[in-house]
Amino acid sequence: AAFYMTLTKGIFQSYAKSFESPREVLIKVNSLLYHTIERGSFVTMFYAVLDKNFNKITFARAGHEPAIYVKSETGQTVFLRPPGIGLGLEDGNVFSKSITDTEIILNSGELFFLYTDGFTDSRNKLSQEFGQQSIISLLNNLNKSSAPEILKSIAEEISKYSKGVPQFDDMTFIAVKCNHNS
């Protein structure tokens, strides 16, 4: 897994500067990965580009966990799950037809949250998963908090939940919160 992640990171970095569209970058990464990794292996990725001038996020998803979007006015939580299969599963025709660019505009107070399945798959001493619903509950309770406060609180909550149970998967998460309207 570490080898594939290092390989994917290098391939991704070589294409990310050449294409503006997350979809186009992932199509290129998929093509090279497909010809490099073992059949049956794959990598998931969620690639988002933030345009701070317009509070716009453009993203594509290659089989990864959905992003979570929390609307400020209603507090409604939405899973952003555009189509897309994992990288390296198929040589390109199906992949390129399945993946799309999606765009959202963040208004003041809105949150865009990305995470790896290491969070949702975290277990407690009873072997119960933390799950997506726990993340949603936390985000709803932290709705008025800043992005750094949200990240700190979620990290603390996961640590408490899985105390004494070894971590078996990577845990990465990102919170983007709009502080003003442009």
mmCIF file of all heavy atoms in Angstrom, residues 13-20 25:
data_model
loop_
_atom_site.group_PDB
_atom_site.id
_atom_site.type_symbol
_atom_site.label_atom_id
_atom_site.label_comp_id
_atom_site.label_asym_id
_atom_site.label_seq_id
_atom_site.Cartn_x
_atom_site.Cartn_y
_atom_site.Cartn_z
ATOM 1 N N GLN A 13 1.458 14.294 -9.019
ATOM 2 C CA GLN A 13 2.178 15.569 -9.048
ATOM 3 C C GLN A 13 2.667 15.917 -10.452
ATOM 4 O O GLN A 13 2.708 17.085 -10.823
ATOM 5 C CB GLN A 13 3.349 15.541 -8.064
ATOM 6 C CG GLN A 13 2.891 15.610 -6.630
ATOM 7 C CD GLN A 13 4.025 15.486 -5.638
ATOM 8 O OE1 GLN A 13 5.037 14.855 -5.897
ATOM 9 N NE2 GLN A 13 3.846 16.075 -4.471
ATOM 10 N N SER A 14 3.002 14.911 -11.235
ATOM 11 C CA SER A 14 3.480 15.192 -12.591
ATOM 12 C C SER A 14 2.362 15.702 -13.501
ATOM 13 O O SER A 14 2.626 16.429 -14.453
ATOM 14 C CB SER A 14 4.144 13.954 -13.201
ATOM 15 O OG SER A 14 3.197 12.955 -13.493
ATOM 16 N N TYR A 15 1.114 15.350 -13.217
ATOM 17 C CA TYR A 15 -0.008 15.787 -14.053
ATOM 18 C C TYR A 15 -0.779 16.985 -13.488
ATOM 19 O O TYR A 15 -1.406 17.730 -14.240
ATOM 20 C CB TYR A 15 -1.003 14.646 -14.269
ATOM 21 C CG TYR A 15 -0.513 13.590 -15.216
ATOM 22 C CD1 TYR A 15 -0.387 12.270 -14.807
ATOM 23 C CD2 TYR A 15 -0.182 13.894 -16.530
ATOM 24 C CE1 TYR A 15 0.064 11.287 -15.677
ATOM 25 C CE2 TYR A 15 0.272 12.923 -17.405
ATOM 26 C CZ TYR A 15 0.390 11.619 -16.970
ATOM 27 O OH TYR A 15 0.830 10.656 -17.837
ATOM 28 N N ALA A 16 -0.766 17.171 -12.185
ATOM 29 C CA ALA A 16 -1.610 18.196 -11.556
ATOM 30 C C ALA A 16 -1.302 19.602 -12.055
ATOM 31 O O ALA A 16 -2.204 20.442 -12.136
ATOM 32 C CB ALA A 16 -1.477 18.130 -10.044
ATOM 33 N N LYS A 17 -0.065 19.881 -12.391
ATOM 34 C CA LYS A 17 0.294 21.220 -12.853
ATOM 35 C C LYS A 17 -0.042 21.441 -14.321
ATOM 36 O O LYS A 17 -0.076 22.564 -14.789
ATOM 37 C CB LYS A 17 1.783 21.469 -12.621
ATOM 38 C CG LYS A 17 2.137 21.533 -11.159
ATOM 39 C CD LYS A 17 3.608 21.749 -10.963
ATOM 40 C CE LYS A 17 3.923 21.732 -9.473
ATOM 41 N NZ LYS A 17 5.335 21.882 -9.208
ATOM 42 N N SER A 18 -0.310 20.375 -15.052
ATOM 43 C CA SER A 18 -0.540 20.473 -16.488
ATOM 44 C C SER A 18 -2.011 20.608 -16.871
ATOM 45 O O SER A 18 -2.317 20.986 -17.996
ATOM 46 C CB SER A 18 0.033 19.239 -17.193
ATOM 47 O OG SER A 18 1.405 19.122 -16.933
ATOM 48 N N PHE A 19 -2.921 20.256 -15.959
ATOM 49 C CA PHE A 19 -4.357 20.264 -16.274
ATOM 50 C C PHE A 19 -5.123 20.983 -15.178
ATOM 51 O O PHE A 19 -4.879 20.769 -14.004
ATOM 52 C CB PHE A 19 -4.886 18.828 -16.411
ATOM 53 C CG PHE A 19 -4.230 18.036 -17.496
ATOM 54 C CD1 PHE A 19 -3.116 17.241 -17.219
ATOM 55 C CD2 PHE A 19 -4.697 18.082 -18.797
ATOM 56 C CE1 PHE A 19 -2.498 16.508 -18.216
ATOM 57 C CE2 PHE A 19 -4.091 17.359 -19.803
ATOM 58 C CZ PHE A 19 -2.982 16.566 -19.511
ATOM 59 N N GLU A 20 -6.071 21.827 -15.563
ATOM 60 C CA GLU A 20 -6.893 22.532 -14.582
ATOM 61 C C GLU A 20 -8.019 21.655 -14.046
ATOM 62 O O GLU A 20 -8.433 21.800 -12.910
ATOM 63 C CB GLU A 20 -7.483 23.797 -15.196
ATOM 64 C CG GLU A 20 -6.461 24.892 -15.376
ATOM 65 C CD GLU A 20 -7.090 26.190 -15.822
ATOM 66 O OE1 GLU A 20 -8.256 26.463 -15.463
ATOM 67 O OE2 GLU A 20 -6.416 26.929 -16.539
ATOM 68 N N VAL A 25 -6.965 15.305 -14.769
ATOM 69 C CA VAL A 25 -5.797 14.818 -14.023
ATOM 70 C C VAL A 25 -6.005 13.362 -13.625
ATOM 71 O O VAL A 25 -5.118 12.520 -13.818
ATOM 72 C CB VAL A 25 -5.531 15.697 -12.773
ATOM 73 C CG1 VAL A 25 -4.464 15.058 -11.878
ATOM 74 C CG2 VAL A 25 -5.126 17.101 -13.185
#
